[in-house]
Amino acid sequence: MAAASNNTMIVDTPAEVLDARPGSRLMWPVEAVASILLVFVIGLLLAGVISRYVLSLPIVWIDEAASISFLWLAMLGSAIAIDRNEHLRLTIFLNLIPERGRDFVDALALLVVATVLLALIVPASQYVQEEWYVTSAALNIPMSFRASAIVAGLALMSVIAVGHAIRAATLANLAAAVAVIAALAVFGWLLSPLFLTLGYANIVIFLVGVVAVCLLLGVPIAFCFGVGTIAFIAFSTHVPMIVLVGRIDEGMSSLILLSVPIFVLLGCVLDATGMGKAIVEFMASLLGHVKAGMSYVLLGSMFLVSGISGSKVSDMATVAPALFPEMKRRGHKPKEMIALLATGAAMADTVPPSIVLIVLGSVAGVSIAALFTSGFVIAVVLLLVLAVLARWKASGESMEGVHRAPFSLVWKTLLVSAPALVLPFLIRGAVGGGVATATEVSTIAVLYALVIGALFYGGIGAKKFYAMLVETAALSGAILLILGTASAMAWALTQTGFANQLAIYMTDLPGGWFSFMLVTIAVFMVLGCVLEGLPAIVLMAPIMFPIAARLGINDVHYSMVVVTAMNIGLMAPPIGIGFYIACKIGDVSPDEAMSAIWPYLGALLAGLLLIAAVPALSVAYL
């Protein structure tokens, strides 16, 4: 599965960019517009915060203007992600295919993407026409100006996908891929009368089977959901396709999601300024002299850095290079370090400002403030579990030549890291205390990081900042398109009545609510392996949360179980993408690290079972 990193290559001239990627001659202005939109959205939200909290004069049209700009940013960012091949996808099975067959599969995957996009353009255009008759409340303009972003994005992405396919594939592979897709479409159309009579079996055929096959072929996750849902609606229902476009729009457009690109940008800023590294150095001076001290430093740094960036990739890339050399000197095996790094990242994903918690709150209707407060405590529970295992594992650690850092060094590193250490507590305190929303806090946090980074950590050059804006747009677009297509697929699934039948079955399980918790853990661990975190949440939350409510399970408690189970699956080999990211960052073979990670995953699972069994850990302090 390919995952975008927060580390962005800085290029010197437009010519180099054009040589680097197919389609980049088209993408250069798109990237510029997306960057401007991102800055505009942040500026709007900052203006809203200042007007509301400083001047006590709320500007009513800011949310509407930000929502319009946000959808355009998401669609243009999705197009940039296609051009850069940064959409999340599963590649582990694709790599097992012989090279000759892989070329055909790559061409087929690109054309599947193009097929999804082309199939949506006409209904998206109809959707824009219908939105013309809907007027925004504050700006008093037709909502078509906003919905047009969907058509523009779909058209741009389809051009890029087809262009990549033509450039990358031989004529024979291209023709064969077109023939396969056309044959399947004709086959589905001819069997449509049969599919209309199959009922729930269509869920297995389209929403499970088609999606699974596309995942194995390396089709990006967003488009796997898209092609499965399109086929399901087109061949087994009479629902017009325009409804699907509306569900995609709805899945991408929650105002809560405005904080996603801003927190992604915050992670980039922290990487570039070295604020995260300053925190690591302070933790090392404080705990590095004790037995298993460097393991504690790694876990503590992941906890604190995650509280700033909200990005697992950013967290691991910040912590590993700073700590691994000293850990190796003390006798830690590389595979053990990778295992601790990966599971530490899983532990820290509930620490605010976790993007996963923000998306879950948006999809399931759970208070973001409550999730942030509970997530902080749950991460502490998992941190303690991993720390106990790390202490046991460090029994043979060499402490030769290790001395307690002098107070002067501890004080110096504290002073250097203090501006960065303030940020996670500022974020959690403001959102958890109800002072500001996650979106408002995200804009303040970015401004704070930019100012503090410039004053204390060297600042960021104009070229680097522009590259960060483009990378943020691409990663945010990839995330938001997944949310849109997964929301459409979840809607299609609930419309069949399957969710109600599942709810009846689950509420009658022997063992009551805890049996349902065990089922939840198993489901989200598997989905975390296969789909990565956000798609699994968007797909399953509308189904599972109502069942949990029927069983009397607190929504915050259930959220903590869901997110933790998903993160364990995300780090579980042989499929979990987080495990492979950790191996890449630590430069360790996955085959070597695979044998070491299981005890750490077992420790996380023990902590998860404790969290599931004791609701007070999640909700007692809310």
Side-chain angles (χ1 to χ4, degrees), residues 381-469:
V381 173
L382 299 174
L383 173 67
L384 293 174
V385 171
L386 289 174
V388 169
L389 177 60
R391 177 63 182 84
W392 178 72
K393 286 273 191 177
S395 56
E397 182 180 18
S398 172
M399 302 298 291
E400 183 180 351
V402 177
H403 304 285
R404 180 191 295 268
F407 177 77
S408 59
L409 178 61
V410 176
W411 179 248
K412 179 182 177 182
T413 57
L414 174 60
L415 289 177
V416 172
S417 63
L421 282 168
V422 168
L423 194 51
F425 297 100
L426 171 68
I427 293 169
R428 190 188 81 83
V431 178
V435 176
T437 66
T439 303
E440 292 168 340
V441 169
S442 66
T443 58
I444 297 170
V446 167
L447 182 62
Y448 175 90
L450 287 171
V451 172
I452 294 299
L455 293 177
F456 297 100
Y457 300 98
I460 303 171
K463 283 185 179 180
K464 194 167 189 177
F465 187 64
Y466 173 74
M468 287 161 47
L469 292 174

Side-chain angles (χ1 to χ4, degrees), residues 91-182:
T91 59
I92 185 170
F93 297 105
L94 185 63
N95 294 332
L96 300 176
I97 301 174
E99 187 172 349
R100 185 174 180 181
R102 197 183 309 160
D103 291 340
F104 165 73
V105 172
D106 284 338
L108 181 61
L110 281 168
L111 289 181
V112 167
V113 169
T115 301
V116 170
L117 296 166
L118 292 170
L120 291 175
I121 285 180
V122 171
S125 300
Q126 296 169 346
Y127 182 71
V128 170
Q129 292 173 11
E130 287 199 358
E131 289 289 284
W132 181 260
Y133 301 102
V134 181
T135 302
S136 64
L139 292 173
N140 199 31
I141 60 173
M143 294 300 288
S144 290
F145 289 104
R146 178 186 168 282
S148 296
I150 301 175
V151 176
L154 292 174
L156 184 58
M157 284 188 278
S158 62
V159 169
I160 296 168
V162 171
H164 276 257
I166 292 173
R167 290 172 183 267
T170 64
L171 184 59
N173 283 336
L174 205 58
V178 170
V180 168
I181 293 173

Side-chain angles (χ1 to χ4, degrees), residues 174-479:
L174 205 58
V178 170
V180 168
I181 293 173
L184 290 174
V186 171
F187 180 75
W189 179 71
L190 291 175
L191 290 184
S192 181
L194 174 63
F195 291 139
L196 288 169
T197 67
L198 293 182
Y200 291 155
N202 288 314
I203 295 175
V204 177
I205 295 171
F206 296 108
L207 302 184
V208 177
V210 171
V211 172
V213 170
C214 289
L215 277 172
L216 295 178
L217 293 176
V219 176
I221 292 175
F223 298 97
C224 292
F225 291 159
V227 72
T229 310
I230 289 171
F232 175 79
I233 289 178
F235 300 139
S236 69
T237 75
H238 296 295
V239 176
M241 204 66 69
I242 189 175
V243 176
L244 176 60
V245 177
R247 300 288 75 76
I248 293 174
D249 182 11
E250 185 179 320
M252 298 173 66
S253 300
S254 171
L255 283 176
I256 295 174
L257 298 178
L258 275 168
S259 60
V260 170
I262 305 174
F263 277 128
V264 171
L265 178 61
L266 178 61
C268 293
V269 171
L270 294 170
D271 274 351
T273 58
M275 293 173 74
K277 185 180 178 183
I279 292 176
V280 175
E281 290 175 349
F282 167 65
M283 294 288 295
S285 70
L286 198 63
L287 297 173
H289 63 282
V290 303
K291 197 80 168 180
M294 296 308 290
S295 296
Y296 298 155
V297 171
L298 188 151
L299 292 172
S301 298
M302 293 296 295
F303 184 94
L304 289 173
V305 172
S306 179
I308 302 175
S309 73
S311 163
K312 287 186 287 293
V313 177
S314 177
D315 301 343
M316 292 190 286
T318 298
V319 171
L323 297 181
F324 277 16
E326 176 62 17
M327 294 180 76
K328 287 181 181 178
R329 193 190 70 77
R330 296 190 186 190
H332 288 264
K333 296 179 180 179
K335 63 181 182 180
E336 296 287 341
M337 291 154 44
I338 291 299
L340 190 62
L341 179 69
T343 49
M347 167 271 298
D349 207 32
T350 62
V351 178
S354 167
I355 292 174
V356 171
L357 292 184
I358 293 170
V359 172
L360 179 57
S362 171
V363 173
V366 185
S367 164
I368 302 293
L371 290 177
F372 275 18
T373 302
S374 181
F376 194 87
V377 178
I378 292 303
V380 171
V381 173
L382 299 174
L383 173 67
L384 293 174
V385 171
L386 289 174
V388 169
L389 177 60
R391 177 63 182 84
W392 178 72
K393 286 273 191 177
S395 56
E397 182 180 18
S398 172
M399 302 298 291
E400 183 180 351
V402 177
H403 304 285
R404 180 191 295 268
F407 177 77
S408 59
L409 178 61
V410 176
W411 179 248
K412 179 182 177 182
T413 57
L414 174 60
L415 289 177
V416 172
S417 63
L421 282 168
V422 168
L423 194 51
F425 297 100
L426 171 68
I427 293 169
R428 190 188 81 83
V431 178
V435 176
T437 66
T439 303
E440 292 168 340
V441 169
S442 66
T443 58
I444 297 170
V446 167
L447 182 62
Y448 175 90
L450 287 171
V451 172
I452 294 299
L455 293 177
F456 297 100
Y457 300 98
I460 303 171
K463 283 185 179 180
K464 194 167 189 177
F465 187 64
Y466 173 74
M468 287 161 47
L469 292 174
V470 175
E471 184 65 24
T472 298
L475 182 54
S476 302
I479 291 172

